Amino acid sequence: MRIIFMGTPDFSVPVLDALVEAGHEIAAVYSQPPRPAGRGKKDRPTPVHARAAALGLEVRHPVSLKGDAEQQDFAALNADVAVVVAYGLILPQPVLDAPAQGCLNIHASLLPRWRGAAPIHRAVMAGDAKTGICIMQMEAGLDTGPVLLRDATAIGAEETTAQLHDRLSEMGAGLIVEALTHLPDLVPEVQPNEGVIYAEKIDKAEAQIDWTRPAADVDRKIRGLSPFPGAWCEIEGQRVKLLLSKLAEGQGTPGEVLDDALTVACGAGAVQLLRLQRAGKSAQDPDVFLRGFPVQKGSRL
């Protein structure tokens, strides 16, 4: 098939690779524009842009698709279908209508649960037992279109957003290839009105740990916000990111360090901190962290 691919972050790269490996013709790749990054603040192409360039594919990065010129350029590609995964721009109706078989979105949740911007983070933070991938026919609403194909997966009890992100990316790559193979035979499943939940964009303001919460909530927040933006607390007056944890035995005053292995009391129960990162430092396991930054039993975070 002749495909327009639209994606931006690392999550989208395996999908592009899978489409190329399956023998589809990529008419063009759309991605977010390069933006300043790194110490020199030089413009850096997105992961999808970089991968597409390495594959010798045409890359387009308009700031918006609302203009007539951009929409005409899109339509002139005469694509059979557009595959969209974490692109980051709203697609106006003329763009949705341009490919012969419309636009297909790869969404990292079991719709209608977790429509919106941060479905992986929210699923982990909510303690969902499972999540998955949906191949959805796009329409004007936010993730409201009919689902053509879906696949579920369990969320591990100690899994982070980063780990789940990588698994779902690979699942999406396989599922879109399957969907395109069987596209004429797929029956659209209209999303029910029941069970709709929105995955709001992660706000950095919600990343501070509240130790008065139950241990299960604290653990899910730490894992759900890892690696970005990273849950955090203050230790000895310094902000420290908490990137991995697990539920642990123990009780005490919320925020109290219960032992020499960074087990911390919560409102109910405790968590053990397994991966930490100080400002300007790399992420560290507890033993390495404690050698450079001792935290005494009985101290309060």
Side-chain angles (χ1 to χ4, degrees):
M1 299 181 74
R2 183 171 169 84
I3 295 172
I4 298 171
F5 182 78
M6 311 180 81
T8 293
D10 288 318
F11 185 83
S12 311
V13 172
V15 180
L16 176 59
D17 284 340
L19 294 174
V20 171
E21 290 169 10
H24 293 289
E25 177 188 0
I26 308 299
V29 172
Y30 279 72
S31 193
Q32 288 281 306
R35 291 191 168 90
R39 291 185 178 179
K41 294 299 181 183
K42 294 182 179 180
D43 280 353
R44 179 181 297 174
T46 69
V48 164
H49 184 157
R51 181 58 181 154
L55 292 170
L57 302 173
E58 178 188 352
V59 181
R60 299 179 179 183
H61 41 76
V63 175
S64 169
L65 291 169
K66 296 179 180 179
D68 289 340
E70 288 80 8
Q71 292 174 14
Q72 290 171 10
D73 288 344
F74 187 90
L77 291 168
N78 295 314
D80 295 312
V81 68
V83 172
V84 185
V85 52
Y87 175 42
L89 285 183
I90 293 174
L91 305 190
Q93 197 62 48
V95 170
L96 294 173
D97 294 339
Q101 299 184 61
C103 299
L104 302 183
N105 178 246
I106 303 172
H107 188 75
S109 81
L110 297 175
L111 294 167
R113 185 171 178 83
W114 301 129
R115 293 175 179 172
I120 303 176
H121 294 81
R122 296 298 178 188
V124 176
M125 291 170 69
D128 289 2
K130 64 179 181 178
T131 186
I133 291 289
C134 283
I135 307 298
M136 178 190 68
Q137 188 80 49
M138 295 182 71
E139 56 183 33
L142 177 62
D143 299 328
T144 58
V147 174
L148 300 178
L149 205 58
R150 65 173 66 220
D151 191 17
T153 184
I155 299 176
E158 297 184 5
E159 195 163 24
T160 66
T161 283
Q163 292 164 336
L164 184 57
H165 167 284
D166 292 349
R167 286 206 297 119
L168 290 176
S169 178
E170 294 296 337
M171 284 177 61
L175 204 61
I176 189 62
V177 170
E178 180 182 348
L180 293 173
T181 301
H182 301 288
L183 193 56
D185 304 318
L186 297 179
V187 178
E189 168 201 336
V190 176
Q191 293 187 42
N193 294 322
E194 299 78 24
V196 175
I197 299 180
Y198 286 93
E200 302 291 344
K201 184 178 180 180
I202 298 296
D203 188 332
K204 290 185 179 180
E206 64 183 300
Q208 184 174 6
I209 290 297
D210 177 0
W211 295 109
T212 67
R213 300 292 301 166
D217 290 357
V218 172
D219 175 60
R220 291 198 297 259
K221 174 170 278 194
I222 291 171
R223 291 185 293 107
L225 296 180
S226 177
F228 181 84
W232 64 274
C233 71
E234 286 193 354
I235 303 179
E236 303 295 338
Q238 292 193 35
R239 181 181 292 202
V240 177
K241 280 188 178 183
L242 311 177
L243 300 174
L244 186 61
S245 61
K246 68 177 181 178
L247 297 177
E249 297 292 331
Q251 58 184 1
T253 304
E256 179 185 357
V257 178
L258 299 177
D259 57 22
D260 296 327
L262 287 178
T263 300
V264 184
C266 301
V271 298
Q272 184 181 5
L273 305 180
L274 301 176
R275 195 80 172 155
L276 306 92
Q277 184 175 18
R278 294 163 60 196
K281 304 288 185 179
S282 59
Q284 297 174 327
D285 292 338
D287 55 342
V288 178
F289 179 87
L290 290 171
R291 282 201 295 271
F293 193 75
V295 179
Q296 301 299 320
K297 177 182 177 181
S299 60
R300 293 282 297 278
L301 308 190

